[in-house]
Amino acid sequence: MHNHLTIQIDPSKIEQHFSVLSQIGRLGMSPESGFLRASWSYEESEAMAYIRQVGVENGLIAHYDAVGNLFLTTPYQKPTLLQMGSHLDTVPMGGNYDGAAGVVVGLEATLTLKDHWQEMEHALQLVAWRGEESATFGALCKGSQAAFGKNDPKILRKEFEGNSLEDAILSQGYDPAYISEQRPTLSRAQVDAIHAHIELHIEQAKSLEVNRLDIGIVSSIRGAVRFRAIVDGEAAHSGGTPMGVEYRQDANLAIAYMQVALDKRVQEALAMGDDLVLTVGLLNSDFNYNLHDPRVYENALTKVSPFGYFAVDIRSNRAETLARIVADAKQIIEQVARDFRVSVTFQSITELAPTETLDERIQEAVDESCRSLGLKSVVMSSGALHDVAVVANQRRSDGSRIPSGLIFIPCREGISHNPKEYASLEALTNGAQVLAQTLYRLGKENFN
């Protein structure tokens, strides 16, 4: 690939977009208040309406699909398209850059290429996916999965702040039947037309910042298996019952040993070179998934714990590693349960396969764009899930996967899902320059 274009992103336009978005879903007057643009909320819809308005005012053709994903496409008729996108929803008390950076940068990269829309071999299409965050309604990448008919219909019954996902979708004027019937909102012809898909995102870690790098070229994305372990013991008096497993069936004590044993297994796997993280992020508190078990209230300060539960999030960029560690984790939990004379059952939360290899030619195009712009880059893996992982695992009619790529930009101190989340205007502008240059390269090249 040798196509190069001298382009200049206007930082003031990026700044203006974030200024508008910073007023949508803001939880308070101070910057520390954070944001909440929940999946299929009025705030998420308002943010998408703003992006739609800017796109239409600058010549893009807008449409929403049946579940409310927003698509903005260049006007010239082309048989194929280069698609880019991210999301605008946030976690509760989240920041304003997770997801939104990719939408805003994608918008400005597309508009900056306006003089070249007609000459490019492929149309450009920006998509703002609905409901990427699993912190609302306990299901991840809901909009992008709906586009391909991949959601589990049971997610429609999940709740956030007292409302079901089904009701939330209806409240915004869209059709949850596409999810309940696993019917894709994109036609087979529309899927086949996606020549390539690229997402830009803040890193959500600090490797780029620490190493003073401008761009991360992502080569793989960790998949995730999340499950809940439910532990039943037996209540007893905390003062009158002697210590020891022959006297106590202590659910909370067993859970503590389970976590230590899980960490030991992970450390062994890391020492063997596995790509792996394991997190117990919820313990006797499941507000993010709205499946709180009232039996937890049987616990008290003066009781041997009769009940407890915790959520496990295991991630790896290799399917074999993920499957092996999940199996090991459940065996470890079961063994500790036997040791402490408690019982354990498992409930699946979510599963998403890893994207072991993102498209190498897109990586090459991003690398060439960085070098032409004098920006420092590195090839790296993504520890977090993104909508691009859903797209990358979809097949076109000829059996080929949709070529997909992911670009990272630095975020301050690696902080994300936090009111302190921040990406500098310089980092956003660099990302827009690289994305625009990459789109131009891919738009002038034909690869399959």
Side-chain angles (χ1 to χ4, degrees), residues 219-223 317-318 353-358 388-390 392-393:
S219 58
S220 64
I221 302 173
R222 286 176 178 153
N317 64 7
R318 292 290 177 263
T355 303
E356 296 192 357
T357 306
L358 288 165
V388 66
V390 174
N393 285 299

Side-chain angles (χ1 to χ4, degrees), residues 260-271:
V260 172
L262 289 173
D263 183 67
K264 181 180 179 181
R265 177 67 186 93
V266 170
Q267 297 304 324
E268 292 171 352
L270 292 173

Side-chain angles (χ1 to χ4, degrees), residues 81 83 148 186 189-197 391 396 402-403:
L81 56 87
Q83 189 181 74
F148 301 99
L186 297 180
Q190 288 174 312
V191 174
D192 289 346
I194 303 173
H195 188 69
H197 179 93
V391 181
R396 299 179 290 202
I402 297 173

Side-chain angles (χ1 to χ4, degrees), residues 117-375:
W117 289 351
Q118 189 169 9
E119 74 188 60
M120 295 175 73
E121 186 171 339
H122 316 286
L124 302 181
Q125 184 177 79
L126 172 68
V127 55
W129 301 113
R130 285 275 183 174
E132 189 264 1
E133 299 289 359
S134 63
T136 56
F137 300 104
L140 53 86
C141 300
K142 298 175 286 294
S144 56
Q145 293 206 78
F148 301 99
K150 299 298 182 181
N151 280 308
D152 183 339
K154 291 195 294 291
I155 70 171
L156 291 173
R157 298 195 297 271
K158 295 191 174 186
E159 295 185 352
F160 179 70
E161 295 187 337
N163 295 314
S164 71
L165 178 58
E166 182 174 23
D167 287 342
I169 294 171
L170 288 169
S171 77
Q172 300 307 301
Y174 300 106
D175 188 358
Y178 279 80
I179 293 177
S180 64
E181 299 168 9
Q182 293 186 303
R183 181 160 34 111
T185 66
L186 297 180
S187 69
R188 174 48 53 190
Q190 288 174 312
V191 174
D192 289 346
I194 303 173
H195 188 69
H197 179 93
I198 304 175
E199 180 167 2
L200 180 139
H201 208 280
I202 60 172
E203 183 190 0
Q204 298 178 288
K206 55 184 178 181
S207 175
L208 294 177
E209 182 182 65
V210 167
N211 293 290
R212 299 183 180 181
L213 297 168
D214 302 301
I215 297 291
I217 304 172
V218 180
S219 58
S220 64
I221 302 173
R222 286 176 178 153
V225 174
R226 300 166 181 171
F227 63 86
R228 186 179 294 99
I230 301 167
V231 181
D232 281 284
E234 184 172 82
H237 193 286
S238 64
T241 310
M243 298 296 291
V245 295
E246 66 270 34
Y247 300 107
R248 297 185 176 210
Q249 294 172 262
D250 190 333
N252 280 342
L253 182 61
I255 288 172
Y257 274 84
M258 289 170 184
Q259 291 190 69
V260 172
L262 289 173
D263 183 67
K264 181 180 179 181
R265 177 67 186 93
V266 170
Q267 297 304 324
E268 292 171 352
L270 292 173
M272 296 297 292
D274 286 333
D275 175 86
L276 178 67
V277 290
L278 183 151
T279 307
V280 174
L282 293 170
L283 176 62
N284 292 341
S285 174
D286 237 359
F287 59 90
N288 275 350
Y289 290 91
N290 297 285
L291 291 167
H292 190 81
D293 195 313
R295 289 178 293 169
V296 77
Y297 293 110
E298 296 176 21
N299 294 325
L301 176 63
T302 56
K303 290 171 72 172
V304 174
S305 172
F307 178 81
Y309 58 110
F310 60 102
V312 183
D313 179 359
I314 304 175
R315 306 191 191 202
S316 176
N317 64 7
R318 292 290 177 263
E320 182 278 328
T321 301
L322 190 58
R324 171 165 44 86
I325 298 301
V326 167
D328 288 354
K330 290 183 177 180
Q331 288 178 2
I332 287 167
I333 292 169
E334 288 171 337
Q335 182 59 56
V336 174
R338 287 191 291 270
D339 293 343
F340 283 84
R341 298 194 307 120
V342 297
S343 64
V344 63
T345 56
F346 300 108
Q347 288 181 350
S348 175
I349 299 175
T350 53
E351 294 187 18
L352 188 65
T355 303
E356 296 192 357
T357 306
L358 288 165
D359 189 85
E360 292 182 357
R361 275 173 282 189
I362 293 178
Q363 294 178 52
E364 178 187 340
V366 176
D367 178 62
E368 289 192 6
S369 297
C370 290
R371 285 191 277 112
S372 70
L373 293 164
L375 298 175

